[in-house]
Amino acid sequence: MTDKETEFVKEITSKSEDFSQWYVDVIRKTELADYSTIKGCMVIRPYGFALWENIKAGLDKRIKASGHENAYFPLFIPESFLNKEAEHVKGFAPEVAWVTHGGNQKLEERLAIRPTSEAIICSMYAKWIRSWRDLPILINQWSNVVRWEKVTRFFLRTTEFLWQEGHTAHRTYEEAQEETLKMLDIYQDFVENDLAIPVIPGVKTEQEKFAGADKTYSIEALMSDGKALQAATSHNLGQHFAKVFDIKFLDEDQQEKFVWQTSWGLSSRIIGALIMTHGDDSGLIMPPRVAPIQVIIIPILYEKTKAEVLQKTEELSAQLKIHFRVKADTRDEYTPGWKYNEWEMKGVPIRLEIGPRDIKNKQAVLVRRDTREKVIVKEEELPATIENLLVDIQNNLLQRAEEFRENNTYLASDMEEFEKIIGEKRGFIKAYWCGGSECENKIKERTSATIRCIPLSAEEDGKGNCIYCGKEDGTIAYFARAY
Ligand SMILES: [Zn+2]
């Protein structure tokens, strides 16, 4: 590598030196996103938006395959609607943005810019649902929401962000609970298989649950700096919203009943999770299934053979585009070395190098981003080899992340041990907890670690004494410092 080329990579702070700066450097240098002139809001640039579109496509397919339909509801929520469910409004009040004027005219009633859409959607469900035959209603919405944040970070916490929110209504509690867990499963399947991020499915504590829910479930991931991130949530809303919005139906037994509801969401913060799970000192590593570009072709150009190599590049690009997301970098002003660095930084899973000697030998060189392993492949075998390599990279990324999580999950048997782990290594800490919010709060005060979830697999770990108060019959909970 020439000095200039090394310089280029050096502009990313090393991950071990300063993780937060590394995160910002990677996002800005790879052009995923940029700061905007509006405080707390970011601009998602084309490379970042292509990633979001692939994420959206993968999840949307699953949402539809499980019987849901997409719809769109207004951005504005009348204040009186938002105020109906007491817990809900209390939970969101500090971060709601309000519209007070239409043009120059002061509005009679303030309009909230949706922080989430339960209120507006419930007001419609009250109109649409009459009989048990109208149930279930299974609707999803892809949209933007606004939550006024004081401290913001690219993708992880911004005042406006993108997400999907599902809102369903059911005839019985059992059906709603089944739906809640089904969606949690779908999120886990998507995040693990498409994004290669392993997660722990579990239930949130009373304090950490969604404002207005009966129960909140989440999938929790561990980032490579040892902090946890909530990757998606699924709520059983019970009948809280049905009662305040008067969503009733006439059941088969001629009794009028309130519906049972769920809501569930995954947001663009998942991009932050993807960056922090897989990225390294050289930049991003994109899981092949959602990578905006899966194969980057880099021609090795010399004056004498330039025309021939460019022609081959075009030919290969056209041929491979049928199967994969491919781009050929034929820019004249950069050396191949520069381009290797740039696309490596952008996390493209496979680099294909083609030069005059390769053409003569009817071959190409493939380099994978995750292991940097290099293979020489016969031209006719390229599509099959690339296909296998992409599967291999996808699997390897998940496996690496699983190993990291395993190596950074600890069982703490007393508070001293707990504090030592959280101070020195972070990671997930498994510990028995009595279920009391007093212990939960004390642990949080002492360690800044919160209960991420009570894993659905908790019974495997049996019962034990609460790590804080020592009370018997505690269940295992996952603790961590979190984003
Ligand atoms: Zn306790």
Side-chain angles (χ1 to χ4, degrees):
M1 256 195 291
T2 65
D3 283 353
K4 205 175 140 207
E5 285 155 9
T6 328
E7 264 320 297
F8 182 73
V9 178
K10 268 204 221 141
E11 286 173 45
I12 301 179
T13 308
S14 109
K15 216 174 155 183
S16 52
E17 203 177 289
D18 184 345
F19 192 87
S20 308
Q21 193 54 48
W22 167 83
Y23 180 74
V24 172
D25 287 352
V26 163
I27 287 170
R28 298 197 70 204
K29 283 283 290 177
T30 59
E31 300 180 350
L32 284 180
D34 204 352
Y35 297 115
S36 81
T37 44
I38 300 105
K39 198 172 166 282
C41 293
M42 67 171 178
V43 176
I44 304 175
R45 301 184 67 176
Y47 194 57
F49 203 73
L51 174 60
W52 175 243
E53 284 180 319
N54 291 340
I55 288 172
K56 198 174 155 178
L59 182 58
D60 195 60
K61 201 169 65 187
R62 287 169 169 87
I63 289 173
K64 286 176 180 152
S66 50
H68 305 87
E69 296 175 300
N70 286 339
Y72 188 78
F73 294 84
L75 168 70
F76 305 116
I77 302 176
E79 185 167 18
S80 55
F81 284 27
L82 203 62
N83 286 347
K84 277 188 180 175
E85 216 286 335
E87 262 185 71
H88 188 60
V89 68
K90 209 176 110 206
F92 283 101
E95 46 192 32
V96 171
W98 293 101
V99 177
T100 56
H101 287 74
N104 292 326
Q105 200 141 27
K106 191 164 184 258
L107 301 179
E108 269 175 41
E109 181 179 8
R110 292 199 295 175
L111 297 173
I113 299 180
R114 63 179 163 226
T116 177
S117 299
E118 274 74 9
I120 193 81
I121 291 178
C122 286
S123 74
M124 297 313 296
Y125 284 4
K127 287 189 193 171
W128 296 343
I129 298 167
R130 289 282 166 264
S131 128
W132 62 274
R133 289 190 180 85
D134 300 327
L135 298 170
I137 289 193
L138 306 170
I139 287 181
N140 175 63
Q141 157 168 277
W142 287 96
S143 71
N144 56 342
V145 285
V146 166
R147 296 179 189 174
W148 217 259
E149 298 283 1
K150 290 192 183 75
V151 184
T152 54
R153 302 187 74 181
F154 279 126
F155 294 109
L156 299 172
R157 201 168 288 280
T158 49
T159 294
E160 180 186 5
F161 60 89
L162 305 178
W163 78 346
Q164 60 66 220
E165 48 179 324
H167 297 268
T168 68
H170 305 264
R171 198 171 162 190
T172 63
Y173 167 82
E174 288 72 24
E175 274 180 40
Q177 179 62 10
E178 194 186 313
E179 166 78 9
T180 309
L181 292 176
K182 186 210 269 177
M183 286 318 299
L184 194 72
D185 261 356
I186 287 175
Y187 285 137
Q188 178 171 10
D189 169 58
F190 169 66
V191 172
E192 292 190 336
N193 290 313
D194 283 20
L195 309 182
I197 303 173
V199 293
I200 310 277
V203 61
K204 288 283 188 187
T205 66
E206 274 300 299
Q207 293 196 61
E208 300 275 336
K209 76 176 187 190
F210 176 73
D214 244 19
K215 266 198 171 15
T216 290
Y217 296 83
S218 70
I219 48 171
E220 300 286 331
L222 190 65
M223 303 296 97
S224 55
D225 65 343
K227 280 170 84 174
L229 186 142
Q230 177 179 292
T233 50
S234 185
H235 317 289
N236 185 335
L237 300 175
Q239 291 180 313
H240 298 231
F241 288 92
K243 284 179 180 162
V244 296
F245 285 93
D246 206 27
I247 315 175
K248 282 186 287 204
F249 68 100
L250 198 62
D251 208 350
E252 221 177 347
D253 59 10
Q254 297 304 309
Q255 301 288 313
E256 204 166 54
K257 294 172 187 170
F258 288 110
V259 297
W260 298 86
Q261 290 178 273
T262 82
S263 69
W264 28 270
L266 176 141
S267 78
S268 46
R269 85 190 306 238
I270 199 74
I271 293 178
L274 185 148
I275 298 166
M276 293 193 289
T277 301
H278 303 303
D280 62 15
D281 278 345
S282 307
L284 299 170
I285 299 182
M286 293 279 188
R289 286 209 178 160
V290 290
I293 301 166
Q294 293 170 314
V295 182
I296 182 74
I297 305 179
I298 302 194
I300 317 294
L301 302 174
Y302 302 100
E303 229 21 78
K304 254 172 81 182
T305 46
K306 194 172 167 183
E308 185 193 1
V309 173
L310 280 176
Q311 198 203 326
K312 190 56 159 183
T313 301
E314 201 174 306
E315 202 179 291
L316 281 179
S317 170
Q319 186 199 343
L320 294 173
K321 263 182 186 156
I322 302 167
H323 311 280
F324 315 105
R325 295 188 285 275
V326 180
K327 186 182 164 74
D329 186 350
T330 55
R331 289 176 299 176
D332 237 353
E333 64 274 33
Y334 296 109
T335 63
W338 173 282
K339 292 177 186 174
Y340 295 170
N341 282 334
E342 176 165 18
W343 294 106
E344 188 164 88
M345 183 177 72
K346 287 192 157 202
V348 175
I350 296 174
R351 175 170 88 224
L352 189 159
E353 305 167 7
I354 182 93
R357 216 179 47 178
D358 299 312
I359 295 176
K360 214 171 85 196
N361 296 332
K362 294 194 167 54
Q363 66 183 35
V365 177
L366 298 180
V367 184
R368 52 191 281 183
R369 171 65 177 89
D370 59 339
T371 59
R372 295 196 167 85
E373 214 175 306
K374 200 178 226 190
V375 279
I376 295 167
V377 181
K378 284 282 157 215
E379 215 188 295
E380 73 263 23
E381 287 163 13
L382 276 173
T385 308
I386 290 172
E387 191 169 346
N388 290 335
L389 264 182
L390 290 174
V391 172
D392 227 48
I393 295 169
Q394 184 80 31
N395 294 339
N396 182 46
L397 289 180
L398 179 62
Q399 201 186 328
R400 262 188 356 195
E402 276 168 349
E403 276 166 20
F404 175 84
R405 187 183 67 185
E406 250 166 64
N407 295 333
N408 289 279
T409 300
Y410 309 92
L411 185 72
S413 49
D414 57 47
M415 277 312 291
E416 208 176 303
E417 201 182 346
F418 191 113
E419 285 186 288
K420 195 165 176 263
I421 297 166
I422 210 84
E424 286 170 11
K425 310 172 191 148
R426 293 193 180 164
F428 273 137
I429 301 181
K430 289 169 82 176
Y432 290 98
W433 171 60
C434 63
S437 28
E438 203 173 311
C439 291
E440 184 182 2
N441 287 335
K442 290 277 192 243
I443 294 170
K444 190 177 171 182
E445 271 168 37
R446 253 170 81 169
T447 66
S448 314
T450 49
I451 298 182
R452 303 318 304 156
C453 69
I454 320 296
L456 293 184
S457 62
E459 62 276 12
E460 287 166 21
D461 295 294
K463 299 274 181 185
N465 294 346
C466 175
I467 188 158
Y468 199 83
C469 68
K471 212 155 89 186
E472 282 172 27
D473 273 349
T475 38
I476 275 287
Y478 273 80
F479 293 82
R481 288 188 182 154
Y483 280 101

